[in-house]
Amino acid sequence: QVQLVESGGGLVQAGGSLKLSCAASGRTFSTYAMGWFRQAPGKEREFVADIRWTAGTTYYADSVKGRFTISRDNAKNTVYLQMNSLIPEDTAVYYCAARSSVVATTSSFTYNYWGQGTQVTVSS
């Protein structure tokens, strides 16, 4: 099993920044990549970004490209999501997830483990 714990959410004004963290523990060696998803009220969970543990290869949703940066600290088993130039449409619960599959994907069904989520609210 892999446990994921997110932190860093909060309330910020439009144009501001937040940095989310996701600490992984347990059988982290069984995971290939980490991702961030988000879910706004009344909407489906959507892919935000993804990073491979070893290579550090990243992938972003078009809606956040150029504004968000995903990174990892392998020594700490921690993944980060730096969010800049936030807009109200970024308001959602943000979830950290881990996948064992080596196939790059934006589908939440491919991710095996999930954190509890952290709320991000961007005011206009």
Side-chain angles (χ1 to χ4, degrees), residues 46-93:
E46 65 172 355
F47 172 82
V48 174
D50 160 287
I51 186 166
R52 299 181 183 182
W53 276 119
T54 303
T57 308
T58 58
Y59 186 71
Y60 297 92
D62 288 343
S63 59
V64 306
K65 201 173 294 184
R67 300 188 298 122
F68 290 11
T69 302
I70 189 171
S71 61
R72 89 276 192 234
D73 184 332
N74 291 46
K76 296 181 179 179
N77 284 334
T78 300
V79 174
Y80 306 96
L81 185 68
Q82 177 67 47
M83 305 184 294
N84 298 328
S85 302
L86 284 161
I87 58 178
E89 289 75 17
D90 294 320
T91 295
V93 176

Side-chain angles (χ1 to χ4, degrees), residues 9-57:
L11 173 64
V12 64
Q13 287 189 332
S17 299
L18 278 175
K19 186 173 184 178
L20 306 182
S21 299
C22 173
S25 61
R27 297 172 60 88
T28 56
F29 58 85
S30 67
T31 59
Y32 184 76
M34 300 288 291
W36 286 97
F37 287 75
R38 66 186 182 186
Q39 187 165 19
K43 294 188 176 182
E44 293 186 354
R45 190 169 297 188
E46 65 172 355
F47 172 82
V48 174
D50 160 287
I51 186 166
R52 299 181 183 182
W53 276 119
T54 303
T57 308

